[in-house]
Amino acid sequence: VSTCFGSASTSAFRNAAEIAHVAGKKVALTLSDPFCVERHRDEFLELVKDHVDILFANEAEIRALYKVEDYSTVQPHCELAIVTRSEKGSVVIGRHGALDIPAEPVAKVVDTTGAGDAYAAGFLYGYTQGKPLAECGRIASIVAAEIISHVGARPQSSLSQLLRDKKAA
């Protein structure tokens, strides 16, 4: 779920999360824009605390959710919180502490549309393959870097080949 939502959507998310957890699966959530997070903070906090295993957010969204300026002190209510930080890379926060992931260099940032979703997809790919968290973050950074290097949210290169070339998968 990555759109701003109200009670009907929240109920649907809870039901889907319950089904996933009963089946032994993990639930990931990507926060929406900071305005949406602020508007529905209580619902988001309840979802993260009770139904989410892996949370993806950018710096502004995580600050809005936890009402903090310095999110590095946040202990997420879920197993993992991954905070994207643009050119500063990302941070994976969990029971292990915080793990800094460097951004993958790009010659020129052209369009950031879809970068967060691509990052989450790359991270979850690595995670579902049993890769260490640092490698999941590296895969995610490589995938996001490919997306921001051109106009549009679809990759223009073979992601599997790109990961092989960068020895990340």
Side-chain angles (χ1 to χ4, degrees):
V1 174
S2 62
T3 58
C4 205
F5 58 89
S7 60
S9 297
T10 305
S11 179
F13 184 90
R14 280 189 203 109
N15 290 338
E18 183 178 322
I19 291 167
H21 285 140
V22 166
K25 305 301 180 191
K26 298 209 183 242
V27 174
L29 174 72
T30 300
L31 291 181
S32 193
D33 65 89
F35 172 76
C36 182
V37 173
E38 288 172 6
R39 185 173 174 204
H40 300 283
R41 181 181 295 110
D42 292 339
E43 288 175 291
F44 276 115
L45 283 169
E46 183 267 331
L47 288 176
V48 170
K49 181 180 175 200
D50 297 333
H51 303 284
V52 172
D53 302 295
I54 303 170
L55 177 67
F56 292 93
N58 65 32
E59 289 176 295
E61 294 160 351
I62 204 81
R63 285 181 182 128
L65 180 65
Y66 289 108
K67 290 186 177 182
V68 296
E69 282 302 312
D70 182 8
Y71 64 84
S72 67
T73 62
V74 167
Q75 287 294 39
H77 292 103
C78 54
E79 181 180 328
L80 291 174
I82 298 93
V83 181
T84 57
R85 306 176 313 144
S86 300
E87 71 279 355
K88 296 179 282 184
S90 58
V91 179
V92 179
I93 306 167
R95 295 178 188 104
H96 65 280
L99 177 64
D100 287 316
I101 308 293
E104 183 69 17
V106 293
K108 181 179 180 187
V109 175
V110 176
D111 180 9
T112 61
T113 304
D117 292 332
Y119 182 97
F123 188 94
L124 291 171
Y125 165 77
Y127 190 82
T128 60
Q129 301 302 305
K131 306 279 186 194
L133 294 177
E135 193 171 342
C136 296
R138 178 145 193 272
I139 291 168
S141 293
I142 291 168
V143 172
E146 200 289 324
I147 296 301
I148 65 173
S149 66
H150 57 79
V151 174
R154 294 179 189 240
Q156 290 186 346
S157 301
S158 163
L159 295 177
S160 58
Q161 186 61 51
L162 184 62
L163 293 174
R164 280 193 296 275
D165 292 347
K166 295 190 178 269
K167 295 179 179 33

